[in-house]
Amino acid sequence: MTIIVTGGAGFIGSNFVFHMLKKYPDYRIVCLDKLTYAGNLSTLAPVMDNPKFRFVRADICDRAAVYKLFEEEKPDIVVNFAAESHVDRSIEDPGIFLQTNIIGTATLMDACRKFGITRYHQVSTDEVYGDLPLDRPDLFFTEQTPLHTSSPYSSSKASADLLVLAYYRTYGLPVTISRCSNNYGPYHFPEKLIPLMIANALADKPLPVYGKGENVRDWLYVEDHCKAIDLIIHKGRAGEVYNVGGHNEMKNIDIVRMICRALGKPESLITYVTDRKGHDMRYAIDPTKIHDELGWLPETKFADGIKKTIEWYLENKSWWEPIVSGEYRDYYEKMYGNRK
Ligand code: NAD
Ligand code: TYD
């Protein structure tokens, strides 16, 4: 069994590579990654010498490079994590999101059609459903919820999902889609809420909370997401969408306060800043389908997961400190300098 994992040098993709190499020592895992600002080869250092692992630097939009890799590897399964993934960046500059997230997905699926695979899996997001109101806690996203996106990021992901379903219906490509809620855990790039707050708190820097901090996200430990994808690619039905989430809704402000407490930092670091444009209010997944069909349940409780995550950031400063002090600092200035 050979699996091409695109975006495997990023947050969730790298966790998935580790999960698969550990659980299936006979599988060959080939990581295809462009190494954008969000991809970090040092993340994959522990598996670089594993004979069952290969890393290839390429862009999923580069048809010639993608076809060459498929010709060489003849993959059975393709799992597409590669994407531009940060909402704030998509608001500043949507173009690259359309290119990677839509054109890249189509290019990969064209290769799948040309060379033949048993499964193409698209890693999507709950953000394709738009948001839910705070005063309707009875509402959840199901797989039937209409796509209703808010940001250029979520629109590009929804576009990709539509293409994936079109390739199933039109060409019979055996596809699956997972739409997961917000992940957290090791190797999360420090531009996203949880790692950014941990890094800033440790440096006694302001903790920039957008708007009133009342927006709600449904947080899932990254390993639970990887296990869900593992189940879907082996046992999920072709042509199906599976929502993945752990009924773990939290307000942003409560998470930031929790991080302050865990690190012994004062809440006076919390700074309310200008809200994100078009900011989604609440995400909440109904994971009944993946539970009933595939037996998936989240295993890590938020209290344990956040503790493990904070410990990981404390123990792995050598992973994230160079990111925070490098080119990312210019980004931070640009994004947060005028939010005051
Ligand atoms: P990430 O930004 O940490 O990693 C993305 C990876 O893709 C990086 O390694 C980057 O180098 C690579 N990449 C980007 N453009 C590429 C291209 N053109 N060709 C090849 N590689 C390219 O993202 P993440 O948080 O790990 O998210 C992975 C996937 O999961 C994305 O598709 C995202 O939409 C989806 N998702 C993320 C979350 C979350 O909470 N992070 C939740 C649900 C779904
Ligand atoms: P983020 O981690 O960017 O994920 P997403 O937008 O995909 O859900 O943001 C999570 C929530 O945290 C979101 O409501 C925006 C908010 N947020 C802040 O309040 N401050 C920040 O500096 C960041 C990055 C996010």
Side-chain angles (χ1 to χ4, degrees):
M1 172 77 82
T2 297
I3 304 184
I4 290 185
V5 178
T6 70
F11 166 43
I12 310 174
S14 60
N15 278 282
F16 184 74
V17 165
F18 299 145
H19 167 83
M20 294 301 281
L21 285 170
K22 193 166 166 209
K23 184 161 169 202
Y24 305 99
D26 294 341
Y27 285 17
R28 178 168 171 77
I29 305 293
V30 179
C31 170
L32 167 68
D33 198 296
K34 185 181 174 185
L35 296 181
T36 67
Y37 78 93
N40 195 335
L41 208 46
S42 77
T43 303
L44 293 172
V47 295
M48 276 303 196
D49 291 334
N50 184 328
K52 290 291 187 185
F53 178 73
R54 178 182 175 199
F55 177 81
V56 176
R57 183 173 192 180
D59 186 332
I60 57 167
C61 303
D62 180 344
R63 193 170 290 270
V66 169
Y67 283 16
K68 180 168 172 279
L69 185 65
F70 273 65
E71 201 156 22
E72 286 168 10
E73 294 290 348
K74 304 194 171 39
D76 301 287
I77 296 176
V78 175
V79 184
N80 181 24
F81 290 93
E84 288 293 332
S85 68
H86 191 39
V87 173
D88 292 323
R89 287 182 189 255
S90 83
I91 293 168
E92 289 297 303
D93 186 8
I96 186 68
F97 284 73
L98 312 187
Q99 184 64 22
T100 293
N101 299 0
I102 307 174
I103 304 296
T105 297
T107 309
L108 283 173
M109 289 194 298
D110 285 342
C112 291
R113 287 175 57 212
K114 186 172 164 63
F115 294 93
I117 40 90
T118 59
R119 177 60 58 85
Y120 172 86
H121 183 75
Q122 177 73 1
V123 182
S124 185
T125 164
D126 61 355
E127 301 192 27
V128 299
Y129 298 121
D131 65 350
L132 298 163
L134 284 184
D135 61 359
R136 289 294 306 274
D138 55 315
L139 295 182
F140 296 91
F141 299 137
T142 73
E143 290 79 2
Q144 277 73 47
T145 301
L147 303 189
H148 187 77
T149 55
S150 314
S151 70
Y153 163 69
S154 54
S155 305
S156 68
K157 293 296 288 184
S159 305
D161 283 12
L162 292 176
L163 272 176
V164 173
L165 294 174
Y167 273 56
Y168 172 70
R169 167 132 181 193
T170 305
Y171 306 116
L173 193 73
V175 305
T176 37
I177 297 176
S178 50
R179 293 184 180 145
C180 189
S181 58
N182 286 61
N183 286 213
Y184 68 101
Y187 302 109
H188 203 179
F189 196 82
E191 69 186 351
K192 304 282 171 65
L193 179 76
I194 290 180
L196 183 140
M197 296 300 167
I198 296 173
N200 280 19
L202 285 173
D204 297 307
K205 284 189 183 155
L207 307 177
V209 171
Y210 298 169
K212 294 182 180 154
E214 283 175 354
N215 306 66
V216 169
R217 298 292 183 264
D218 181 358
W219 294 93
L220 184 72
Y221 194 61
V222 62
E223 210 173 287
D224 282 322
H225 185 191
C226 295
K227 287 178 180 166
I229 295 171
D230 176 357
L231 272 175
I232 295 169
I233 60 177
H234 288 101
K235 298 194 180 131
R237 288 180 294 138
E240 293 293 317
V241 174
Y242 294 90
N243 281 356
V244 184
H247 281 303
N248 180 52
E249 293 179 49
M250 306 267 301
K251 280 185 189 174
N252 294 340
I253 188 66
D254 292 337
I255 293 201
V256 178
R257 288 201 178 112
M258 194 183 264
I259 291 171
C260 287
R261 269 199 305 280
L263 292 173
K265 297 292 180 180
E267 288 187 11
S268 56
L269 287 176
I270 295 173
T271 313
Y272 292 93
V273 299
T274 312
D275 210 350
R276 174 184 280 173
K277 292 189 183 97
H279 199 172
D280 280 337
M281 218 50 227
R282 170 176 170 250
Y283 302 144
I285 282 276
D286 175 353
T288 306
K289 180 175 173 181
I290 189 167
H291 173 63
D292 288 354
E293 268 191 33
L294 305 179
W296 179 86
L297 272 179
E299 291 167 25
T300 301
K301 291 199 180 71
F302 189 75
D304 300 331
I306 194 75
K307 196 163 165 262
K308 276 202 274 188
T309 302
I310 291 173
E311 274 162 18
W312 188 88
Y313 279 87
L314 285 170
E315 283 163 15
N316 291 276
K317 288 187 177 167
S318 61
W319 182 83
W320 59 268
E321 275 183 349
I323 299 174
V324 179
S325 63
E327 165 192 330
Y328 173 69
R329 197 163 42 195
D330 299 335
Y331 160 85
Y332 195 88
E333 260 315 299
K334 187 173 154 218
M335 297 299 274
Y336 291 86
N338 57 7
R339 271 193 189 269
K340 306 255 157 37

